Amino acid sequence: MTKKVLLVGESWVSSATHYKGFDQFGSVTFHLGAEPLVKALEGSEYELTYMPAHEAVEKFPFDMAGLDVYDVIILSDIGANSLLLPPAVWLHSKTVPNRLKLIKAWVEKGGGLLMVGGYFSFQGIDGKARWRRTPVEDVLPVTCLPYDDRVEIPEGTGAVITKADHPTVAGMGGEWPLLLGVNEVEVRDRADVEVVARLPDDQGGHPLLVTGTFKKGRSAAWTSDIGPHWLSPAFCEWEGYGRLWKNILSWLSDKR
């Protein structure tokens, strides 16, 4: 049975100015950050819709019927403002449905939500992702810090599996390739919340993969990246990369 997954975010535009003596010129480039996941899910039971950040501002659904198409929604490296301030609000001061409240209601009735780490995930760089104290944070198994939550690990670190019997890490024993960073979060103190993987003690023991439930739905937090730069090339090319994401999607879409 095909399961439908909506990936929201993981795109950016870079503008550069090039100086050559007296002269200068500008250039603009567009980037997609989730190609490793797209490749890993090709030909699988998961039908992935990739909605880049700039498209999500207007195209992310404004009603429940639009969300009900999907079994799992992934928010990855996209700030809360992109869903709170579509042009109708930002440019024309019109009212629209609050899509953060809509996501919460969708999870409540059985949806599966995954937040993946990045510079605009959780609270993000300079605290600008702004997911703290939002309806989306309400359904996550973790809470966001009130400030810049990045933990940069340029030397690289492995992962410690703390719940080897959890379905999200089934068949994932052994040493994992290197990670280069995570978002720091706080784990909710609830019986349904499980820290499945974390960083080693010498890297602060920060949560890496946390799962939980919210009414009829499920949610998970993966605090590192979906691809470079926080995932090393070796991690993205690792045979366990696809298995990990399929395991997580399977658990999130398994209706209780």
Side-chain angles (χ1 to χ4, degrees), residues 242-255:
R243 185 184 307 160
L244 174 65
W245 293 108
K246 291 171 188 174
N247 283 351
I248 294 172
L249 293 175
S250 176
W251 183 84
L252 285 168
S253 59
D254 183 14
K255 304 301 182 185

Side-chain angles (χ1 to χ4, degrees), residues 12 14 33 40 62-65 129 133 143 153 164 168 216 225 231:
W12 64 97
S14 298
F62 285 89
D63 57 33
M64 189 62 72
R133 292 185 176 176
T143 58
I153 311 171
T168 57
K216 293 183 179 180
D225 221 326
L231 291 191

Side-chain angles (χ1 to χ4, degrees), residues 135-218:
V136 168
E137 186 196 48
D138 289 345
V139 309
L140 293 175
V142 301
T143 58
C144 305
L145 302 182
Y147 42 77
D148 191 320
D149 60 8
R150 292 169 303 132
V151 180
E152 302 285 0
I153 311 171
E155 71 275 27
T157 183
V160 176
I161 309 303
T162 54
K163 295 281 185 181
D165 60 343
H166 197 278
T168 57
V169 291
M172 303 291 298
E175 187 175 348
W176 289 16
L178 294 179
L179 305 161
L180 303 180
V182 297
N183 296 91
E184 182 180 354
V185 297
E186 295 183 345
V187 178
R188 291 188 186 276
D189 184 14
R190 291 200 320 245
D192 64 289
V193 172
E194 295 185 280
V195 179
V196 180
R198 62 175 177 82
L199 299 191
D201 290 337
D202 64 357
Q203 295 289 355
H206 298 293
L208 176 61
L209 176 59
V210 187
T211 62
T213 60
F214 191 80
K215 298 195 177 177
K216 293 183 179 180
R218 292 183 169 185

Side-chain angles (χ1 to χ4, degrees), residues 3-252:
K3 296 180 179 179
K4 296 193 175 187
V5 179
L6 176 62
L7 169 62
V8 186
E10 281 301 334
S11 73
W12 64 97
V13 176
S14 298
S15 175
T17 303
H18 308 257
Y19 297 92
K20 298 189 176 184
F22 180 88
D23 298 302
Q24 60 84 23
F25 69 94
S27 66
V28 176
T29 51
F30 174 71
H31 309 267
L32 292 171
E35 289 97 330
L37 180 63
V38 172
K39 182 179 179 181
L41 296 183
E42 286 178 354
S44 74
E45 64 181 297
Y46 300 101
E47 180 184 323
L48 181 68
T49 298
Y50 190 170
M51 184 180 288
H54 66 284
E55 292 185 6
V57 173
E58 291 192 84
K59 291 186 177 180
F60 188 90
F62 285 89
D63 57 33
M64 189 62 72
L67 294 188
D68 282 341
V69 172
Y70 303 102
D71 297 286
V72 178
I73 294 174
I74 304 172
L75 299 175
S76 184
D77 212 355
I78 182 170
N81 282 329
S82 291
L83 299 185
L84 289 170
L85 297 172
V89 176
W90 177 243
L91 298 178
H92 305 294
S93 298
K94 295 180 180 179
T95 61
V96 300
N98 186 322
R99 291 181 286 184
L100 306 193
K101 292 181 178 179
L102 189 66
I103 292 172
K104 179 178 179 178
W106 176 78
V107 175
E108 285 180 336
K109 69 189 194 72
L113 178 67
L114 170 64
M115 182 171 284
V116 175
Y119 273 28
F120 275 91
S121 298
F122 301 101
Q123 200 66 354
I125 187 169
D126 299 332
K128 291 180 178 178
R130 296 189 65 252
W131 290 106
R132 176 176 164 84
R133 292 185 176 176
T134 66
V136 168
E137 186 196 48
D138 289 345
V139 309
L140 293 175
V142 301
T143 58
C144 305
L145 302 182
Y147 42 77
D148 191 320
D149 60 8
R150 292 169 303 132
V151 180
E152 302 285 0
I153 311 171
E155 71 275 27
T157 183
V160 176
I161 309 303
T162 54
K163 295 281 185 181
D165 60 343
H166 197 278
T168 57
V169 291
M172 303 291 298
E175 187 175 348
W176 289 16
L178 294 179
L179 305 161
L180 303 180
V182 297
N183 296 91
E184 182 180 354
V185 297
E186 295 183 345
V187 178
R188 291 188 186 276
D189 184 14
R190 291 200 320 245
D192 64 289
V193 172
E194 295 185 280
V195 179
V196 180
R198 62 175 177 82
L199 299 191
D201 290 337
D202 64 357
Q203 295 289 355
H206 298 293
L208 176 61
L209 176 59
V210 187
T211 62
T213 60
F214 191 80
K215 298 195 177 177
K216 293 183 179 180
R218 292 183 169 185
S219 64
W222 169 261
T223 61
S224 193
D225 221 326
I226 213 166
H229 81 279
W230 274 350
L231 291 191
S232 64
F235 199 110
C236 295
E237 295 165 7
W238 173 44
E239 63 178 9
Y241 175 89
R243 185 184 307 160
L244 174 65
W245 293 108
K246 291 171 188 174
N247 283 351
I248 294 172
L249 293 175
S250 176
W251 183 84
L252 285 168

